[in-house]
């Protein structure tokens, strides 16, 4: 068993295939807020999409992982906010059983040093001899512990989750390894069947090399010995060479397929991911979705558990930027929802037809973020298409306004409605700015995007004679 190394990666497959369907896509809120843009900036600077994928896969493997947030050192060239991930082998946390918030967290940073995250401060501790000592301390400026646990399979008994590599998966992997080992041993006999020489005596094997050229190993069995029949003449004693039938490999293959099927049921992974070919390939996208239905449902079942950690991470990033958030900021973040890529397999043609039908019936609006997310596009492509649509629509309507077109002079009703709509938004923008709203927030509330504002305050027109403001 020690010398027979079988690269049977079923436990790794149970983790990687599952984690490959868990793709985070940022956040959404009930109302438009610029705080999401701040989170997006930090995510881009800190490669958060890659860090989250690592944290999710580690949580699937060990039950939980942890993402720490801290202020960066500008003098050292760090970004404004640092985001780092640690597995359950290098970090842990203490959760409040009532609220689920992190009360304290511990992070290994190499050697005998650890970082202890507490409300309002972080302690760097070092172990010397048999005692722990505080080597450094700094304030975080918030009572939040800036640690977000990503948990897989959280239960009341195990709030920090459990691994996808269960004892059942391990035992099935061991069983499949033993099956391959037995098949490997049987293959030696399969390729070299045993020969039998009937009616042979010792003189046949006395000659040097007589049978070594044939098989090298022969069972010699006399046909009729003297003890069997003493009266039979020696001339009637005959010798014949036969072979024992070869051992079949089919039972081992059948057992391996059975174990692979059990593994697929225990891990919710289709059996073809385990190296076992199906009898027939799926004939359509619906057939493939049916095969992967258990995997998709299991992935979606873990999203609520990971959403808790993802919301914590978003709030930790904003807290690291601005300190404790006030009531207005928390109101803007009401309904903060982490978004995920659809774990289903979606055919490009069928999904495009579905979106086109929904746009035609009026259930979706063309070119919006919600509509583009339903298409099999990457987030970057969807965002670029959305921005191009906004620039094209805004420039076209603005050209009509500058040309002096109005409802009376324009014959194209749809274009006139676009001009009227833009005029209303510009009027609303001016009203909000004069009321004291910041220009960026006013443009967001008015539905105007990609506007550049000159620095300074709006200029108030004064009449030359009376000096009154208007």
């Amino acid at each position: 068993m020690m010398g027979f190394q079988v690269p049977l990666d079923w436990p790794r497959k149970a983790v990687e295939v599952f984690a490959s369907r868990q793709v985070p896509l940022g956040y959404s809120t009930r109302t438009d807020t610029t705080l999401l843009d701040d989170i997006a900036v930090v995510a881009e600077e800190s490669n958060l999409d890659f860090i989250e994928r690592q944290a999710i896969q580690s949580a699937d493997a060990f039950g939980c992982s942890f993402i720490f947030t801290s202020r960066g050192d500008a003098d050292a060239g760090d970004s404004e906010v640092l985001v780092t991930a640690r597995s359950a082998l290098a970090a842990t946390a203490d959760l409040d059983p009532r609220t689920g918030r992190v009360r304290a967290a511990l992070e290994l940073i190499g050697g005998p040093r650890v970082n202890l995250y507490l409300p309002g401060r972080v302690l760097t501790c070092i172990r010397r001899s048999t005692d722990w000592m505080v080597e450094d301390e700094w304030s975080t400026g918030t009572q939040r512990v800036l640690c977000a646990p990503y948990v897989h399979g959280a239960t009341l008994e195990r709030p920090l989750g459990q691994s996808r590599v269960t004892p059942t998966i391990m035992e099935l992997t061991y069983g499949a390894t033993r099956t391959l080992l037995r098949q490997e041993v049987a293959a030696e006999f399969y390729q070299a069947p045993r020969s039998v020489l009937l009616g042979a005596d010792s003189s046949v094997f006395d000659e040097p090399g007589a049978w070594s050229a044939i098989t090298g190993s022969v069972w010699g069995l006399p046909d009729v010995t003297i003890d069997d029949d003493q009266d039979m003449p020696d001339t009637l004693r005959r010798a014949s060479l036969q072979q024992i039938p070869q051992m079949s490999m089919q039972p081992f293959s059948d057992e391996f397929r059975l174990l692979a099927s059990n593994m697929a049921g225990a891990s919710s992974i289709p059996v073809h991911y385990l190296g076992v070919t199906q009898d027939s390939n799926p004939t359509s996208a619906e057939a493939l979705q049916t095969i992967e239905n258990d995997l998709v449902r299991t992935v979606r079942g873990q999203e609520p558990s990971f959403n808790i950690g993802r919301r914590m991470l978003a709030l930790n990033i904003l807290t690291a930027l601005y300190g404790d958030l006030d009531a207005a900021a928390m109101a803007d973040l009401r309904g903060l929802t982490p978004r995920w890529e659809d774990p289903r397999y979606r055919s490009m043609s069928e999904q495009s037809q579905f979106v086109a039908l929904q746009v035609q019936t009026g259930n979706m609006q063309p070119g919006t973020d919600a509509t583009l997310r339903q298409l099999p596009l990457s987030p970057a492509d969807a965002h670029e298409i959305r921005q191009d649509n906004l620039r094209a629509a805004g420039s076209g309507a603005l050209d009509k306004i500058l040309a002096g077109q109005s409802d009376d002079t324009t014959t194209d009703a749809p274009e006139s409605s676009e001009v009227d709509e833009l005029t209303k938004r510009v009027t609303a923008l001016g009203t909000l700015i004069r009321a004291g709203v910041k220009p960026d927030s006013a443009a967001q509330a008015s539905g105007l995007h990609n506007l550049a504002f000159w620095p300074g305050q709006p200029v108030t027109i004064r009449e030359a004679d009376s000096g009154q403001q208007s």
Side-chain angles (χ1 to χ4, degrees):
M1 289 292 290
M2 295 298 297
F4 185 72
Q5 301 294 331
V6 180
L8 197 60
D9 287 346
W10 283 2
R12 182 178 61 86
K13 278 289 186 180
V15 173
E16 290 186 354
V17 173
F18 192 87
S20 65
R21 302 299 181 97
Q22 298 174 290
V23 182
L25 293 180
Y27 303 86
S28 62
T29 55
R30 297 176 184 173
T31 58
D32 293 335
T33 174
T34 58
L35 294 177
L36 293 183
D37 297 333
D38 299 333
I39 297 176
V41 170
V42 173
E44 183 178 357
E45 292 178 350
S46 59
N47 298 320
L48 183 59
D49 54 346
F50 178 66
I51 292 176
E52 275 196 298
R53 294 295 299 273
Q54 288 182 315
I56 290 172
Q57 182 169 334
S58 179
D60 293 338
F62 299 107
C64 61
S65 60
F66 306 90
I67 298 184
F68 295 90
T69 307
S70 60
R71 298 282 300 182
D73 187 0
D75 296 335
D78 297 337
S79 57
E80 190 173 4
V81 176
L82 293 179
V83 180
T84 56
R86 294 289 185 268
S87 72
L89 303 178
T92 187
D94 179 27
L95 303 182
D96 190 322
R98 296 184 301 108
T99 63
R101 297 184 61 179
V102 179
R103 296 187 297 193
L106 187 69
E107 175 191 17
L108 302 181
I109 57 176
R113 286 180 172 82
V114 299
N115 279 340
L116 179 59
Y117 291 77
L118 299 172
R121 57 179 179 163
V122 178
L123 305 178
T124 298
C125 303
I126 183 172
R127 185 179 181 86
R128 293 177 178 173
S129 183
T130 59
D131 298 329
W132 284 95
M133 300 181 62
V134 177
E135 186 179 50
D136 194 6
E137 176 182 355
W138 68 89
S139 174
T140 60
T142 177
Q143 292 301 306
R144 292 182 62 90
V145 177
L146 301 182
C147 171
Y150 278 40
V151 181
H152 172 274
T155 62
L156 295 178
E157 295 78 14
R158 297 183 177 182
L160 287 179
Q162 51 194 328
S163 171
R164 278 189 53 80
V165 185
T166 62
T168 301
I169 291 178
M170 294 296 295
E171 290 300 328
L172 289 173
T173 304
Y174 294 150
T177 302
R178 291 193 297 268
T179 300
L180 292 180
L181 175 62
R182 288 193 290 267
Q183 188 176 31
E184 184 74 12
V185 174
E188 297 297 330
F189 295 93
Y190 184 84
Q191 67 182 354
R194 176 69 67 178
S195 299
V196 178
L197 183 62
L198 302 178
D201 56 17
S202 60
S203 63
V204 177
F205 303 97
D206 291 339
E207 299 180 8
W211 291 99
S212 61
I214 301 177
T215 61
S217 178
V218 177
W219 284 349
L221 300 177
D223 189 5
V224 180
T225 64
I226 297 177
D227 296 334
D228 294 335
D229 189 356
Q230 298 180 356
D231 297 332
M232 179 176 290
D234 293 339
T235 56
L236 298 180
R237 304 182 190 277
R238 64 187 184 278
S240 63
L241 182 64
Q242 299 181 4
Q243 286 186 340
I244 297 178
Q246 293 176 324
M247 181 183 297
S248 175
M249 308 292 288
Q250 189 64 34
F252 302 105
S253 300
D254 292 342
E255 183 181 3
F256 186 82
R257 292 177 64 90
L258 176 61
L259 292 173
S261 299
N262 293 337
M263 176 68 182
S267 61
S268 300
I269 293 177
V271 69
H272 62 267
Y273 283 101
L274 303 175
V276 177
T277 305
Q278 296 287 355
D279 295 335
S280 60
N281 294 324
T283 57
S284 63
E286 288 79 4
L288 187 58
Q289 290 179 6
T290 301
I291 294 175
E292 298 184 348
N293 184 55
D294 190 21
L295 173 61
V296 172
R297 290 175 64 89
T298 307
V299 169
R300 286 179 171 170
Q302 293 300 323
E303 288 180 1
S305 177
F306 282 97
N307 284 344
I308 297 175
R310 295 194 64 200
R311 278 192 291 266
M312 283 187 186
L313 176 60
L315 295 177
N316 289 346
I317 290 175
L318 295 176
T319 302
L321 286 172
Y322 306 116
D324 289 325
L325 302 178
D326 55 16
M330 294 303 296
D332 291 340
L333 293 174
R334 186 177 294 113
L336 180 65
T337 304
R339 294 188 293 106
W340 299 86
E341 184 179 289
D342 193 342
R344 299 174 300 165
Y345 170 77
R346 298 188 298 174
S347 171
M348 182 175 296
S349 59
E350 294 180 0
Q351 193 66 19
S352 300
Q353 292 175 3
F354 165 77
V355 173
L357 180 60
Q358 296 301 316
V359 170
Q360 291 176 3
T361 56
N363 295 331
M364 295 182 180
Q365 299 301 317
T368 61
D369 291 334
T371 301
L372 293 175
R373 279 199 297 266
Q374 300 302 319
L375 294 172
L377 299 171
S378 65
D381 292 340
H383 178 73
E384 186 175 356
I385 292 174
R386 172 63 175 160
Q387 295 301 317
D388 290 342
N389 291 339
L390 291 174
R391 284 192 291 267
S395 61
L398 185 59
D399 291 340
K400 295 180 178 64
I401 292 178
L402 296 177
Q405 297 181 4
S406 62
D407 291 345
D408 298 333
T409 59
T410 304
T411 58
D412 192 349
E415 294 181 355
S416 297
S417 63
E418 293 179 3
V419 174
D420 293 340
E421 181 66 22
L422 182 59
T423 302
K424 293 177 182 179
R425 292 183 181 183
V426 172
T427 303
L429 173 64
T431 303
L432 292 174
I433 292 178
R434 288 191 294 272
V437 179
K438 292 183 179 180
D440 292 336
S441 299
Q444 188 75 15
S446 303
L448 297 172
H449 305 276
N450 301 322
L451 297 181
F453 295 93
W454 290 102
Q457 299 296 327
V459 178
T460 302
I461 303 175
R462 297 176 179 270
E463 294 182 4
D465 297 335
S466 62
Q468 299 293 326
Q469 296 182 356
S470 59

